[in-house]
């Protein structure tokens, strides 16, 4: 079962280490899925032409990803500044607002759509700015979408009718609010809805059948990318087998492993940065 990640990519700049790590939700999910499914994923997005962008592209090549549809643009790659607290929880303290990709739209042509059709699932996110393309894309491929912490009704109505899988970050929400969110998303047409809740694990509903998944305790070094790896772990198991309990466990296992290393999926690179630039 092939997956394509479409949209956002960044490098995460760890100030205390002076290193950059490749990341971004759409890219992270595609990379983790590729690792878990014997090189069955691709990535399509816009990268800049600076050192950060080159690191992203080189990393994807090392991961044996299909990046034939990556666009290179003149400008800075997306960058986020990251610090960690004493528990290893990642904290975003600034960014360059997505860099050049935030100023350019990923214009999908017929050749792109033909390429996307070769995949079983497209994963994207709120950070990819593809909302206007969803009505077309859902006619081509099933869609998985990460909403992060956006729960407002207007946005849900814009996105949910066109997607099959919805993922939310809900660590700040009481369980009752998580349940209400799941019901709202189901009513708008999405069949699989998942809310990850940090230390409380995850809630997942498939056509109103609810499942709860606890976390797998681990030695936390860095939580960056844990949610993205959970998504990839779940999808890589669920798509071919449709075993919900097994897929949820697999997602939690992959997330626990991700927390044991710096960066979403590694590849830290020494980097000299003027932090004032990315904090604007």
């Amino acid at each position: 079962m092939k997956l394509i990640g479409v949209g956002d990519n960044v490098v995460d700049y760890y100030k205390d280490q002076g290193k950059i790590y490749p990341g971004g939700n759409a890219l992270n999910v595609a990379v983790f899925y590729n690792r878990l499914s014997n090189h069955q994923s691709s990535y399509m997005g816009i990268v800049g032409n600076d050192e950060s962008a080159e690191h992203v592209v080189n990393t994807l090549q090392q991961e044996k990803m299909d990046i034939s549809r990556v666009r290179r643009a003149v400008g800075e790659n997306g960058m986020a500044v990251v610090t960690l607290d004493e528990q290893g929880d990642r904290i975003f303290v600034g960014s360059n607002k997505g860099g050049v990709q935030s100023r350019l739209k990923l214009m999908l042509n017929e050749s792109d759509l033909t390429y996307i059709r070769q995949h079983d699932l497209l994963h994207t996110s709120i950070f990819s700015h593809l909302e206007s393309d969803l009505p077309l894309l859902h006619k081509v491929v099933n869609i998985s979408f990460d909403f992060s912490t956006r729960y407002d009704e207007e946005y849900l109505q814009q996105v949910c009718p066109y997607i099959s899988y919805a993922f939310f970050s809900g660590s700040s929400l009481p369980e009752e609010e998580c349940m209400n969110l799941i019901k709202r998303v189901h009513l708008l047409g999405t069949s699989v809805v998942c809310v990850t809740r940090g230390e409380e694990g995850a809630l997942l509903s498939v056509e109103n059948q609810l499942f709860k998944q606890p976390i797998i305790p681990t030695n936390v070094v860095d939580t960056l990318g844990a949610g993205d790896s959970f998504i990839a772990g779940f999808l890589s198991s669920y798509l071919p087998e449709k075993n919900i309990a097994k897929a949820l466990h697999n997602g939690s296992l992959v997330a626990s492993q991700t927390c044991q290393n710096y960066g979403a999926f590694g590849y830290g690179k020494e980097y000299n940065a003027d932090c004032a630039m990315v904090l604007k």
Side-chain angles (χ1 to χ4, degrees), residues 75-91:
E76 75 282 11
N77 206 74
M79 178 180 285
V81 181
V82 176
T83 62
L84 301 175
D85 65 17
E86 293 180 355
Q87 287 74 45
D89 287 331
R90 61 102 175 98
I91 302 170

Side-chain angles (χ1 to χ4, degrees), residues 6-10 23-29 43 45-46 78 80 90 92 95 97-99 101-104 106 123-131 145-150 155 159 167-169 228 231:
V6 179
D8 61 302
N9 76 86
V10 298
N25 178 268
L27 184 142
N28 285 344
V29 171
Y43 173 71
I46 300 172
R90 61 102 175 98
F92 290 112
S95 75
K97 310 300 182 184
Q101 64 181 316
S102 67
R103 302 189 292 274
L104 300 173
L106 188 63
H123 179 81
T124 189
S125 81
I126 188 174
F127 306 110
S128 299
H129 310 294
L130 290 175
E131 290 84 358
F145 196 96
D146 191 325
F147 290 81
S148 185
T149 57
R150 185 159 183 184
Y155 191 72
V159 175
F167 295 92
F168 296 86
S169 298
D228 301 340
I231 292 172

Side-chain angles (χ1 to χ4, degrees), residues 87 215-223 226 252-261:
Q87 287 74 45
I215 64 169
I216 295 177
T218 189
N219 179 29
V220 176
V221 172
D222 179 6
T223 62
S252 293
L253 180 62
V254 178
S256 70
Q257 294 167 345
T258 300
C259 290
Q260 298 175 34
N261 303 285

